[in-house]
Amino acid sequence: MSAEENGAGAEDQKKFLYVNRRAPYGTIYALESLEVVLIGAAFDQDVSLAFFDDGVFQIIKGQDTAGIGMKNFSPTYRALGDYEVTKLYVEKESLEERGLTADDLMEITYEDEDDDWAEKSSVQLVSRAELSEIMAAQDVILSF
Amino acid sequence: MKFGILVNEGPYTHQASDSAYHFTKAALEKGHEIYRVFFYNDGVNNGSRLTVPPQDERNIQNNWTELAEKHDLDLVVCVAAAQRRGILDENEAKRHSKNADNIAPGFRISGLGQLIETGIECDRVVAFGD
């Protein structure tokens, strides 16, 4: 899809935000949320993801699920760039409250077609106040 | 207003499905349009016709089925979530060599694209979950 066809803010596009507030394992919400994101990517909308509360654990480095007999689906987040899902907002306060920093997160990147395919980080740290502004600007919020 | 409804929890354990039902019914009575009700996560379990709650309790699946018949509602169960949890229609049962199906009248099984389409087409998507 060309940049023109996929231009953000096109009139027939809506802003979809997927809100992730729960840990990746323990419940199925994180996995099934990601499945919606991947299917939704085919619809050419303006998509972003927010991670806060325990949701920040979804994109933490070095996940190992061998001991709990579940599939480790964390590599899928790193493929989001290939689906043109390139805006992952992570709330700073949620990281701090859990003793985490940006260094604990996976490297999730995309190639910017508008900047000679330069590799850029999809992860943006935002404050709680900034996140509330981002949420207020959405058309559709799906929280799992 | 054109509403889309998302139900993310199964019947009885959580009130989500009851609340979604009451909201949908009230919206229709007020003259609003319900574009679609989409069932995801454990919400797909609302579409099993094999639930047998005690007779003095509400029957959540029947409530949805009757509301769908009365208002020609589109009740959609996510296929991927349904397969994980054993909610099958005749086609799905055949395709996966299962000897029974259990989808309730008024419900149909389809893909997650139907949820995204609901977001695109509706003025509001109202989600009911835990």
Side-chain angles (χ1 to χ4, degrees), chain B:
Chain B
M1 193 174 274
K2 194 193 284 191
F3 285 106
I5 308 294
L6 174 61
V7 182
N8 288 334
E9 295 296 343
Y12 304 105
T13 305
H14 296 266
Q15 199 180 320
S17 183
D18 294 281
S19 301
Y21 168 76
H22 291 305
F23 181 94
T24 302
K25 199 162 170 273
L28 289 164
E29 282 163 5
K30 288 271 184 192
H32 296 291
E33 179 186 349
I34 302 293
Y35 178 77
R36 177 171 294 143
V37 184
F38 192 86
F39 295 86
Y40 194 50
N41 298 144
D42 275 358
V44 299
N45 291 311
N46 290 288
S48 168
R49 69 166 185 269
L50 300 183
T51 56
V52 189
Q55 286 190 355
D56 60 349
E57 275 185 34
R58 75 232 185 270
N59 186 315
I60 295 176
Q61 174 259 304
N62 276 354
N63 281 350
W64 281 116
T65 294
E66 285 169 15
L67 197 65
E69 281 167 2
K70 189 173 171 195
H71 296 278
D72 197 21
L73 280 183
D74 190 19
L75 307 182
V76 178
V77 172
C78 167
V79 61
Q83 284 177 357
R84 283 197 178 102
R85 294 163 176 87
I87 304 294
L88 301 171
D89 63 13
E90 201 182 341
N91 282 339
E92 288 294 305
K94 209 172 282 175
R95 201 152 70 88
H96 299 284
S97 305
K98 298 292 183 184
N99 65 0
D101 66 78
N102 60 348
I103 192 86
F107 289 79
R108 67 185 179 95
I109 292 180
S110 188
L112 275 170
Q114 303 265 303
L115 171 60
I116 308 300
E117 189 189 57
T118 302
I120 293 170
E121 294 296 329
C122 293
D123 300 310
R124 292 281 188 280
V125 175
V126 185
F128 295 85
D130 182 17

Side-chain angles (χ1 to χ4, degrees), chain A residues 119-130:
Chain A
E119 194 172 2
K120 297 183 179 179
S121 178
S122 301
V123 175
Q124 299 177 46
L125 294 194
V126 294
S127 69
R128 193 158 283 168
E130 287 167 330

Side-chain angles (χ1 to χ4, degrees), chain A residues 80-122:
Chain A
L80 286 174
D82 298 335
Y83 289 81
E84 296 182 36
V85 174
T86 60
K87 289 178 287 191
L88 277 60
Y89 301 109
V90 181
E91 193 198 71
K92 284 179 205 163
E93 286 90 336
S94 292
L95 287 175
E96 284 163 14
E97 286 160 6
R98 288 160 183 79
L100 301 170
T101 69
D103 292 338
D104 295 307
L105 303 177
M106 291 187 285
E107 278 182 36
I108 303 173
T109 60
Y110 70 103
E111 292 177 342
D112 188 349
E113 62 185 331
D114 297 326
D115 190 10
D116 198 23
W117 305 99
E119 194 172 2
K120 297 183 179 179
S121 178
S122 301

Side-chain angles (χ1 to χ4, degrees), chain A residues 14 16 18 22 28-29 31-33 35-36 39-40 43 45 140 142-144, chain B residues 6 8-9 40-41 80-81 84-85 112-113 115-117 119-120 122 125 130:
Chain A
K14 279 193 172 182
F16 277 70
Y18 296 93
R22 309 195 215 212
I28 201 168
Y29 297 107
L31 172 62
E32 288 196 330
S33 175
E35 290 184 350
V36 181
I39 298 290
F43 283 75
Q45 302 295 302
V140 181
L142 295 173
S143 177
F144 292 101
Chain B
L6 174 61
N8 288 334
E9 295 296 343
Y40 194 50
N41 298 144
R84 283 197 178 102
R85 294 163 176 87
L112 275 170
L115 171 60
I116 308 300
E117 189 189 57
I120 293 170
C122 293
V125 175
D130 182 17

